[in-house]
Amino acid sequence: MIAYQCAWLKAHYTREYLIAMLNSELRSGGNTKSAAGDDLKKFYRYLVEVERMGCRLLPPDVNHSQQYFCKEGDDGIRFPLLAIKNVGESAADFIVTVREKTGRYKSAEDFFTRTASSGVNRRVHEVLILSGALDPLAGVPLDTMERRRTYRAS
């Protein structure tokens, strides 16, 4: 009976079903961030299934990503901040909360300034840059890592 219900949900609510499966895997202990085990393979199978089912997997973006996978647009699923290695729950919550309270991040410097406190440390900033989550910000050059180091030093 459960298999039938899952198949029905997948057929009629494809994107919502896939989001639920991805978030379930993400919440099951953070195994998506480790490099070993069947859990990581299972997570990647879900990501492949997203594209196979006709949904677009959108990259992480500090102005759009939430803590967990979410719907975006007509057929998009936005990659979450928590699925990025070295981004913890407190950092992801803080980034999203600051964005919701004070508006979208306008530049890399704006992002660094507004998230410099709390659980968003240098390592989190660096992995967000490397993951491409800061790419959509206006005025983000290729040398963002160097600019971030210069900004934090002053």
Side-chain angles (χ1 to χ4, degrees), residues 22-34 39 68 82 89:
L22 287 164
N23 284 336
S24 172
E25 197 62 32
L26 189 60
R27 287 184 177 113
S28 70
N31 293 328
T32 58
K33 297 180 182 182
S34 69
D39 294 325
Y68 294 97
L82 274 177
E89 194 165 348

Side-chain angles (χ1 to χ4, degrees), residues 54-146:
C55 296
R56 291 181 307 128
L57 185 61
L58 303 171
D61 180 344
V62 293
N63 279 327
H64 296 286
S65 292
Q66 300 295 323
Q67 293 92 330
Y68 294 97
F69 288 91
C70 61
K71 295 192 307 186
E72 188 170 316
D74 292 334
D75 64 347
I77 297 175
R78 180 64 69 176
F79 200 82
L81 297 174
L82 274 177
I84 301 170
K85 189 173 184 171
N86 293 326
V87 177
E89 194 165 348
S90 63
D93 288 341
F94 187 77
I95 291 167
V96 172
T97 302
V98 168
R99 182 184 69 218
E100 289 173 351
K101 285 183 181 177
T102 60
R104 296 175 62 157
Y105 301 107
K106 294 174 182 33
S107 66
E109 287 78 15
D110 179 43
F111 175 76
F112 299 142
T113 302
R114 290 165 52 189
T115 61
S117 62
S118 189
V120 185
N121 58 27
R122 177 180 162 191
R123 174 175 273 169
V124 173
H125 284 160
E126 289 175 356
V127 297
L128 287 172
I129 291 166
L130 293 172
S131 72
L134 295 179
D135 289 354
L137 295 178
V140 176
L142 295 174
D143 63 342
T144 306
M145 290 284 271
E146 187 58 39

